[in-house]
Amino acid sequence: MRDTERAISMCHALLSERGEVSGARLATEVLAVYQSLHGQALDAFFDGLVDQFSPDPAHVRRAADAYRDDPSPGNLVRLQSAVEPPRQELFRRFNMGAGGTRALVEMRRRILHALADHPQWAAIDADLVHLFKSWFNRGFLVLQRIDWRTSALILERLIEYDAVHQIQGWQDLRRRLEADRRCYAFFHPALPDEPLIFVEAALTRGLGARVQPLLDPDSPVVNPAVANCAIFYSITNCQEGLRGVSFGNFLIKQVVEDLGREFPRVKTFATLSPIPGFRRWLSAAAHSLSDHRKATQLAALVAKLDGCDSVPQKAASARLQKELTCLCAYYLLHASPGNQPLDPVARFHLANGARLERLNWAGDTSEMGLRRSYGLTVNYIYRLPDVERNHEAYARDCRIVASHELERLARQSLLVRGAPDRSEGRFEPG
Amino acid sequence: MRDTERAISMCHALLSERGEVSGARLATEVLAVYQSLHGQALDAFFDGLVDQFSPDPAHVRRAADAYRDDPSPGNLVRLQSAVEPPRQELFRRFNMGAGGTRALVEMRRRILHALADHPQWAAIDADLVHLFKSWFNRGFLVLQRIDWRTSALILERLIEYDAVHQIQGWQDLRRRLEADRRCYAFFHPALPDEPLIFVEAALTRGLGARVQPLLDPDSPVVNPAVANCAIFYSITNCQEGLRGVSFGNFLIKQVVEDLGREFPRVKTFATLSPIPGFRRWLSAAAHSLSDHRKATQLAALVAKLDGCDSVPQKAASARLQKELTCLCAYYLLHASPGNQPLDPVARFHLANGARLERLNWAGDTSEMGLRRSYGLTVNYIYRLPDVERNHEAYARDCRIVASHELERLARQSLLVRGAPDRSEGRFEPG
Amino acid sequence: MRDTERAISMCHALLSERGEVSGARLATEVLAVYQSLHGQALDAFFDGLVDQFSPDPAHVRRAADAYRDDPSPGNLVRLQSAVEPPRQELFRRFNMGAGGTRALVEMRRRILHALADHPQWAAIDADLVHLFKSWFNRGFLVLQRIDWRTSALILERLIEYDAVHQIQGWQDLRRRLEADRRCYAFFHPALPDEPLIFVEAALTRGLGARVQPLLDPDSPVVNPAVANCAIFYSITNCQEGLRGVSFGNFLIKQVVEDLGREFPRVKTFATLSPIPGFRRWLSAAAHSLSDHRKATQLAALVAKLDGCDSVPQKAASARLQKELTCLCAYYLLHASPGNQPLDPVARFHLANGARLERLNWAGDTSEMGLRRSYGLTVNYIYRLPDVERNHEAYARDCRIVASHELERLARQSLLVRGAPDRSEGRFEPG
Amino acid sequence: MRDTERAISMCHALLSERGEVSGARLATEVLAVYQSLHGQALDAFFDGLVDQFSPDPAHVRRAADAYRDDPSPGNLVRLQSAVEPPRQELFRRFNMGAGGTRALVEMRRRILHALADHPQWAAIDADLVHLFKSWFNRGFLVLQRIDWRTSALILERLIEYDAVHQIQGWQDLRRRLEADRRCYAFFHPALPDEPLIFVEAALTRGLGARVQPLLDPDSPVVNPAVANCAIFYSITNCQEGLRGVSFGNFLIKQVVEDLGREFPRVKTFATLSPIPGFRRWLSAAAHSLSDHRKATQLAALVAKLDGCDSVPQKAASARLQKELTCLCAYYLLHASPGNQPLDPVARFHLANGARLERLNWAGDTSEMGLRRSYGLTVNYIYRLPDVERNHEAYARDCRIVASHELERLARQSLLVRGAPDRSEGRFEPG
């Protein structure tokens, strides 16, 4: 624990007078010692950050009392200062050291991973989030196009990070950066080699329904001049340590604007998205639906699907296909505990002001696509003139903007059929 | 006042749901409306920012009470959130608009100018300072060398800003960027054309005493390979709106390091600095000294100097020169109300860990040099291995590190001479 | 002359085996010694280049004889190699030294200046031109926009070089780089700080007739979005040493294309050009015209103009103005000894495929404008779809493409009036 | 053949007046048509370039006659101009088109491949080489460090081109760009994505003897701060079309200088080179040696080696190893038909001024290493102060600078042993 004590004592020095004059040097040293800590020593260091760099409760109480007695501006300022943890200033000084920003983002990643076991570290997490929301302000981010001229260092990150559709090495990536593709990322000037988030788009003729052709490294390159659609088929947050500091919203809209300028013939901007929660929800529904008849129907359907080895999309009868699609439409539109869609991807795009447009049978026939949603995919449409209105309908009134077709499908699902009105059919598994 | 109302209502929109989805666009619009406000409309806007975007006292009180009853982490977080003015988030969203950072820095400049007449705007000032300290963290600043290859846009700023020794146009600037000079500035990535602070150094043989040869556009260019000194003859903060967010300390030390690497033969890093408060202090002392005999002596001296049209340094007898130099040494070392030197330039360099080295008679014979310090200049020495220790001595013990010679001179000044001990002679005019 | 001998002997070394392995170092040394030569030593060095690095006549003769006997490919190659001066390889090796390209361009400048006195140096000139035509191929040049963000080093060159309308310092230049102006230059990668040629354009409403408003540093800035004309009011070759290696043609056309893309509303691309030879030609004509009556008329006119102190354009009667304009049209269209217009600026633009469009009375009232052309200016129009055809008409058939109005004016000039046919009126003073 | 005729006729247009004014556009068009030609059409095009764009023999003869009669400077210039093929100016105009430089380099690659079947195209080759020697002058090349921050586009070229030790994909390349490696390439500004030549170096402790550890992607990364050797283990010309326009010499010496500055502790700069011709030479020697006894010995040795499946280096007796090493030393030092070493790699490094230092048994145990040189490798040392002298000894006196050890080994080889003097033992197989 000697190292931990040394690290903590250096943190105190960094916050002191000395830190003011030798901040950068001292910060670099503290970072080095901190980065050498592991296991229990690291845990003890984080405990130390909580115990020794939090606001002083007595001091807070005095300031709060003074403010209660006289809510003057001066007393407010003193209260503000009393409640700010010294940790925040400590982290600001960390940031002066070489590699400081990166080290702090990485620190939060560690904290997030350990939070379940160390709930008291939430205080550290709160301070880091507070700083990151200020530092990673949209006004400081730089949008960069990523292509085959980009440095290998950055491209390697893309291969490493792509969470939606794993990039299978350099040849796969190369196809995704050809003339009919676009890839953009946000960067922060202090992390020039670290994409924060990136989006991959394909320029196509017609609104794509299926993921596999887009991912095929041997697919023919489309002449971008004849494209009329831009399909966002992957959007990936790269920095776990920045979770909750959201950029995706800004990124998509900025890219829609930029592509619109570069390709005036492209009129449709849409995603081709997974529906990660559908299958899990359907299974749960089959077990917990109160309407006995419908529960039985659903259970039979799920059993049939699960027994079907070679995956529904090929063998599926038109009837099964129809039934499943209607249930998926219902899931996206009405499975909304707490007034938010159950599906996380739906939540993201709908909150951004997109519109639920179309369900695609056999849209993603990968093992994961089948496991998560029986191979169904969905297109969300981004129409810039509508996003603000859509967003407000969603954020204020919990209203999901969807195509008529999708709403019709939801009404025909076995969960609604025969129900006196839609609301009765509504169902929340969890 | 219609524009003011519109601006304030747009600020509310920017803070709302809508702001989340259309932040950048909306922010750009708010900035445009705000920037069109002038006179009373602008005053009303700032008043609106104070009245409508401050914390809710009732809410703060409730959170403070809850915390007092139970100082749990959750209650602390709620209290922190209650005391943070919505203005801060508003300003963070401003920053997403085009030119947002610059507009906020400029806003603070205006606020500072008007603070005396509008003390309530201190709340706005406090929020901006809080943000700027986070945003303009040393870890985000970029040190750039400025030379004749730098863009005219940036060089023009230098001409505009140089506060210490006015740059007299492009030819003057050109001389200051020759091979025997170095100029460095800090930049923030969001303000790529705006130097935040810059320092001008001359590479010389021997420690320079006089400013005028350095400023002479026709002075011969020294071969930098034979230089053994680097003289910092000008350091200028460019952004009034960033007052109090200090960079100078970091800049000088970084430049000392860089020059030391580039020119291993340069061993002395020193300033050639003005002593802006000396003459004013001397006049005041002559009027307010309690020791009558000394007051008389001093008043005679000041009268003699003031009557002397063609400036002391030429005509001055050796005796007068000696007397004045000793008084100046005394001023720098002992005129310290509140334990800080009276002289602002001394305060800056001593707090940075520099050492008071040498006084130079006729060091600055410009009209301003004579008016402020009878033409005296002073060298502060930056020795990197000592700056931390010097800084601590100064910050912790109010001890000024100075050369023996300077301490000797101070002891010989008429304010000390004959005094039983030095402390008795100490004198604070203000 | 020791230095000269040393320089020449180093040239031999550079061409030898040693030069192959230590080319860059040796070349740098030769350049340094060469650059230290002045006066007679330099003359002797150039003489040495002619005497010792020219083809060997005996060798050439043998190769020529062999070729005459048997014009085989092998004999041709041997003859080619025999006639190439070793100087060319020497200069290619010079180019490997630090600053080599610049030194060679500067060498040619010196040679050109001295050619009249040292006609034998034409051999050096021929070699340098041959190399420069290869090295400064359009394919290697980079077009760069010059604006207020450009480095001071390059902007200083513009101030120094502007030959057409002297730039009066930095404030003047700044106006010429405002939002309603464009400045472009060609650069060669080996001379990144040296513009080769630059053109200045103004975005205007309507086709400008007068130079002075464009040059006025206090003229209001036009909103470029409403401009419908781009006026090229200055085009300047910067490198005397590259005389005869022409870029102007490429530059104007490239800029017309680029501006056309950036400002789709700009439909007219035109110059506002001086007519440097008009007045001199008119004086000469008055003395040497064979038609006695016309000579008398012309002499009277010239006498009247020359006597007129306050310049014609103000006082001029409508009749005088008309007469002079008609004569100027005649000058531009028909004063063509050797089938090329007498006026050098006309030759340049017409050879580039421009059209003679309009004469402007009082278009340039500067002292030089009056002295050279009684204040008249002319617009040449660049219409991209026509330039090739215009150029061919000019280059192949010596035909000048001009507006009807200008042709009409020429027909009405006193040199044509009453002549049975135009050709008889044709007149060549020189 | 219509396309060929069209291409040729466009070439004539490009050389004509029209080409002067519309060069860039026309050149781009000609390039496109040329690049669409294949097979016989392309052959016919090249034939056209030879037939229609060569000097006119009658014209050359007249100019040669005139010169013979009067070898004046004017007549020389006219002769020079008469012998220059119009093709050269044609190619210079090609270069104005988009991608012109690259297309010409590629054209020469094609010509070189076809030269054996179309000897008349040597005329085209000669023109292109002449231009390239001028255009790719060392003074125009830019040395760039290649590392993991370099664009994937360029890195991909390295994988594609590495001729010495094939790079096995991105992970292999990544290891070769780690902290203990350096890779540098020359670029020409007109081909920013095309390395012309690159060299790979490893920073090591001690002079490396074996290639395989250097190529092992899993080898541990050496701390470059403790390295005392830089081993150049691969040097690759990337552009076949630039064959004969040599850069390798400049590249190695420049990199030695740069590394010497960056790593002052690195004192030894050496290659670890293959000996590509050794085994072939040894086989040939066994068949053609006139000294019957030695021929028999050699043949036995070769038979033994060839029969030895599992490669000599493992099984080899110390005696065999010694014998083979001595023969290899002899091969490198004395197998010099025409006074140049037989081994092409030896020729390259010795001409650059390197010294033959050391032979390494089992230095390259790859299949190719065994096939070419029984697994032997050799180190050439680059000592900057010696390279010029070494080069001159080699170029002027055909003297190879080698270590004493290597000379000793050569003397002990069975080809020399017992010979009255060395020269008698000399042997040239072909």
Side-chain angles (χ1 to χ4, degrees), chain A residues 148-149 151 156 174 193, chain D residues 148-149 151 153 156 174 193:
Chain A
W148 199 237
R149 273 195 173 78
S151 88
E156 193 181 35
R174 198 188 197 301
D193 296 325
Chain D
W148 200 237
R149 273 195 173 78
S151 88
L153 189 54
E156 194 180 34
R174 198 188 197 302
D193 297 325

Side-chain angles (χ1 to χ4, degrees), chain A residues 159-412:
Chain A
I159 296 179
E160 193 179 316
Y161 289 134
D162 188 316
V164 182
H165 303 294
Q166 267 204 336
I167 300 176
Q168 310 290 341
W170 292 87
Q171 286 319 307
D172 187 3
L173 177 61
R174 198 188 197 301
R175 174 64 191 91
R176 299 193 187 192
L177 301 173
E178 284 285 1
D180 62 345
R181 302 294 172 92
R182 284 296 181 275
C183 179
Y184 291 90
F186 271 140
F187 287 84
H188 187 275
L191 300 173
D193 296 325
E194 282 286 354
L196 304 182
I197 186 172
F198 65 94
V199 65
E200 298 171 70
L203 299 160
T204 60
R205 283 198 64 76
L207 177 56
R210 299 182 51 225
V211 164
Q212 271 66 39
L214 290 179
L215 300 184
D216 179 2
D218 300 321
S219 58
V221 175
V222 175
N223 176 0
V226 306
N228 56 11
C229 270
I231 309 284
F232 299 100
Y233 62 98
S234 179
I235 177 161
T236 302
N237 276 297
C238 304
Q239 308 295 334
E240 266 190 272
L242 295 177
R243 194 192 298 165
V245 185
S246 88
F247 318 110
N249 163 23
F250 302 119
L251 180 61
I252 293 184
K253 262 164 285 184
Q254 180 77 54
V255 169
V256 168
E257 274 183 33
D258 288 10
L259 289 179
R261 255 193 305 272
E262 190 182 351
F263 299 102
R265 302 174 68 165
V266 168
K267 299 296 183 201
T268 305
F269 297 89
T271 73
L272 180 55
S273 299
I275 312 162
F278 174 48
R279 186 162 178 173
R280 197 171 43 232
W281 168 83
L282 199 66
S283 293
H287 287 98
S288 58
L289 211 57
S290 56
D291 178 328
H292 186 66
R293 193 179 49 86
K294 289 187 175 176
T296 308
Q297 279 181 296
L298 217 52
L301 183 75
V302 167
K304 191 168 171 185
L305 287 164
D306 289 352
C308 173
D309 212 40
S310 68
V311 187
Q313 77 281 357
K314 288 189 188 144
S317 67
R319 225 190 119 242
L320 181 66
Q321 182 171 331
K322 177 74 189 297
E323 192 64 82
L324 210 54
T325 307
C326 291
L327 283 164
C328 191
Y330 180 91
Y331 163 70
L332 289 170
L333 278 167
H334 305 304
S336 332
N339 286 329
Q340 287 232 324
L342 197 61
D343 195 79
V345 173
R347 277 202 303 276
F348 173 75
H349 290 299
L350 295 172
N352 288 345
R355 185 178 75 208
L356 249 177
E357 184 68 13
R358 195 178 75 185
L359 280 169
N360 306 299
W361 184 255
D364 178 3
T365 55
S366 71
E367 194 265 329
M368 181 179 279
L370 296 169
R371 181 155 40 82
R372 300 201 300 189
S373 59
Y374 299 109
L376 280 158
T377 60
V378 60
N379 300 115
Y380 299 92
I381 295 270
Y382 279 84
R383 247 195 105 241
L384 285 188
D386 299 342
V387 292
E388 203 173 296
R389 198 174 51 232
N390 293 351
H391 165 78
E392 278 187 57
Y394 177 82
R396 206 181 285 168
D397 314 330
C398 309
R399 193 153 51 73
I400 292 174
V401 179
S403 65
H404 292 311
E405 172 63 11
L406 232 130
E407 290 181 338
R408 199 180 51 77
L409 287 171
R411 279 196 301 273
Q412 296 176 356

Side-chain angles (χ1 to χ4, degrees), chain C residues 112-185:
Chain C
L112 285 174
H113 276 230
L115 215 43
D117 295 331
H118 303 269
Q120 74 280 19
W121 296 354
I124 303 176
D125 183 50
D127 289 327
L128 289 171
V129 170
H130 187 265
L131 284 174
F132 293 165
K133 288 204 166 167
S134 200
W135 289 349
F136 291 89
N137 187 288
R138 169 68 186 92
F140 298 135
L141 303 188
V142 180
L143 183 75
Q144 274 179 31
R145 176 155 174 217
I146 305 280
D147 61 17
W148 199 237
R149 273 195 172 78
T150 302
S151 87
L153 189 55
I154 289 173
L155 295 183
E156 192 181 36
R157 297 272 189 275
L158 265 55
I159 296 178
E160 193 178 316
Y161 289 134
D162 189 318
V164 182
H165 303 294
Q166 267 202 337
I167 300 176
Q168 310 291 341
W170 291 87
Q171 286 317 306
D172 187 1
L173 177 61
R174 199 188 196 302
R175 174 65 190 90
R176 298 192 189 194
L177 301 174
E178 285 284 1
D180 62 345
R181 301 295 172 91
R182 284 295 180 278
C183 179
Y184 291 90

Side-chain angles (χ1 to χ4, degrees), chain D residues 64-343:
Chain D
D65 287 350
Y67 178 80
R68 218 190 17 163
D69 294 347
D70 172 13
S72 70
N75 279 338
L76 178 62
V77 167
R78 272 182 289 278
L79 179 54
Q80 285 168 338
S81 145
V83 300
E84 184 180 301
R87 243 184 340 262
Q88 285 209 17
E89 179 61 20
L90 177 66
F91 290 154
R92 279 193 285 264
R93 295 195 179 185
F94 266 36
N95 194 55
M96 299 193 292
T101 311
R102 179 192 301 254
L104 289 167
V105 172
E106 171 62 16
M107 183 189 286
R108 178 150 182 260
R109 198 190 57 80
R110 289 175 169 189
I111 294 284
L112 284 175
H113 277 229
L115 214 44
D117 295 331
H118 303 269
Q120 74 280 21
W121 297 354
I124 303 176
D125 182 50
D127 288 329
L128 289 171
V129 170
H130 188 266
L131 285 174
F132 293 165
K133 288 204 166 165
S134 200
W135 289 350
F136 290 89
N137 187 289
R138 169 68 187 92
F140 299 137
L141 303 188
V142 180
L143 183 75
Q144 275 179 30
R145 175 154 173 217
I146 306 281
D147 61 18
W148 200 237
R149 273 195 173 78
T150 302
S151 88
L153 189 54
I154 289 172
L155 294 184
E156 194 180 34
R157 295 273 189 276
L158 265 55
I159 295 178
E160 194 179 316
Y161 289 134
D162 188 318
V164 181
H165 303 295
Q166 267 202 338
I167 300 176
Q168 311 289 344
W170 291 87
Q171 286 319 307
D172 187 1
L173 177 60
R174 198 188 197 302
R175 174 64 189 91
R176 299 191 189 194
L177 302 173
E178 285 285 1
D180 62 345
R181 302 294 172 92
R182 284 296 181 275
C183 179
Y184 292 89
F186 271 141
F187 287 84
H188 187 275
L191 300 172
D193 297 325
E194 282 288 353
L196 304 181
I197 186 173
F198 65 95
V199 64
E200 298 170 70
L203 298 161
T204 59
R205 283 198 63 78
L207 177 56
R210 298 182 51 224
V211 164
Q212 271 66 38
L214 290 179
L215 300 184
D216 179 3
D218 301 320
S219 59
V221 176
V222 175
N223 176 1
V226 305
N228 55 11
C229 270
I231 309 283
F232 299 100
Y233 62 97
S234 179
I235 177 159
T236 303
N237 277 295
C238 305
Q239 308 294 334
E240 266 190 272
L242 294 177
R243 195 194 297 167
V245 186
S246 89
F247 318 110
N249 164 22
F250 302 119
L251 180 60
I252 293 183
K253 262 164 285 183
Q254 181 78 55
V255 169
V256 168
E257 273 182 33
D258 288 9
L259 288 179
R261 253 193 306 274
E262 190 181 351
F263 299 102
R265 301 173 69 164
V266 168
K267 299 294 183 201
T268 305
F269 297 89
T271 72
L272 180 54
S273 300
I275 312 163
F278 174 48
R279 185 163 179 173
R280 197 170 45 231
W281 168 83
L282 199 67
S283 293
H287 287 97
S288 58
L289 211 58
S290 56
D291 178 327
H292 184 66
R293 195 178 49 89
K294 289 188 176 177
T296 308
Q297 280 182 296
L298 218 51
L301 184 75
V302 168
K304 190 168 172 184
L305 287 164
D306 290 352
C308 172
D309 213 40
S310 68
V311 189
Q313 77 281 356
K314 286 185 188 150
S317 66
R319 226 191 117 241
L320 181 67
Q321 182 172 331
K322 176 73 189 300
E323 192 64 82
L324 211 55
T325 307
C326 291
L327 283 164
C328 191
Y330 181 91
Y331 163 71
L332 289 170
L333 278 167
H334 305 302
S336 332
N339 286 330
Q340 287 232 326
L342 196 61
D343 195 78

Side-chain angles (χ1 to χ4, degrees), chain B residues 87-338:
Chain B
R87 243 185 339 262
Q88 285 209 17
E89 179 61 20
L90 178 65
F91 289 155
R92 278 193 286 263
R93 294 194 181 186
F94 266 37
N95 194 56
M96 299 193 292
T101 312
R102 179 192 301 255
L104 288 168
V105 172
E106 171 61 17
M107 182 189 286
R108 179 150 182 260
R109 198 190 58 79
R110 290 173 167 191
I111 294 283
L112 284 175
H113 277 228
L115 215 43
D117 295 331
H118 302 269
Q120 75 279 21
W121 296 353
I124 303 177
D125 182 50
D127 289 328
L128 289 171
V129 170
H130 187 266
L131 285 175
F132 293 165
K133 288 205 166 164
S134 200
W135 288 349
F136 290 89
N137 186 290
R138 169 68 187 93
F140 299 136
L141 302 188
V142 180
L143 183 76
Q144 275 179 31
R145 175 154 174 216
I146 306 280
D147 61 17
W148 200 236
R149 274 195 172 80
T150 302
S151 89
L153 189 54
I154 289 173
L155 295 183
E156 194 180 34
R157 296 272 189 276
L158 266 54
I159 296 178
E160 194 178 314
Y161 289 133
D162 189 319
V164 182
H165 303 294
Q166 267 202 337
I167 300 176
Q168 311 289 343
W170 291 87
Q171 287 319 307
D172 187 1
L173 177 60
R174 198 189 197 303
R175 175 64 190 90
R176 299 192 189 193
L177 302 174
E178 285 285 1
D180 62 344
R181 302 293 173 92
R182 285 295 181 275
C183 179
Y184 292 89
F186 271 141
F187 287 84
H188 187 275
L191 299 172
D193 297 325
E194 282 288 354
L196 304 182
I197 186 171
F198 65 95
V199 64
E200 297 171 72
L203 299 160
T204 60
R205 282 198 64 76
L207 177 57
R210 299 183 52 224
V211 164
Q212 271 67 39
L214 289 180
L215 300 183
D216 178 2
D218 301 321
S219 59
V221 176
V222 175
N223 175 1
V226 306
N228 55 11
C229 270
I231 309 284
F232 299 101
Y233 62 98
S234 178
I235 178 159
T236 304
N237 277 295
C238 305
Q239 308 295 334
E240 265 190 273
L242 294 178
R243 194 194 298 166
V245 185
S246 88
F247 318 111
N249 164 22
F250 302 118
L251 180 60
I252 293 184
K253 262 165 285 184
Q254 180 78 55
V255 169
V256 168
E257 274 183 33
D258 288 10
L259 289 178
R261 254 193 305 275
E262 191 182 350
F263 300 102
R265 301 174 69 164
V266 168
K267 299 295 182 200
T268 305
F269 298 89
T271 73
L272 181 54
S273 299
I275 312 163
F278 174 48
R279 185 162 179 173
R280 196 171 46 230
W281 167 82
L282 200 66
S283 293
H287 287 97
S288 58
L289 212 55
S290 55
D291 178 328
H292 185 66
R293 194 178 50 87
K294 289 187 175 177
T296 310
Q297 279 181 296
L298 218 52
L301 184 75
V302 168
K304 190 168 174 185
L305 288 163
D306 289 352
C308 172
D309 213 38
S310 68
V311 188
Q313 77 281 356
K314 287 188 189 144
S317 66
R319 226 190 118 245
L320 181 67
Q321 182 171 330
K322 177 72 189 298
E323 192 65 82
L324 210 54
T325 306
C326 291
L327 282 164
C328 191
Y330 182 90
Y331 163 70
L332 289 170
L333 278 167
H334 304 305
S336 333

Side-chain angles (χ1 to χ4, degrees), chain C residues 46 206 212:
Chain C
F46 287 142
Q212 271 66 39

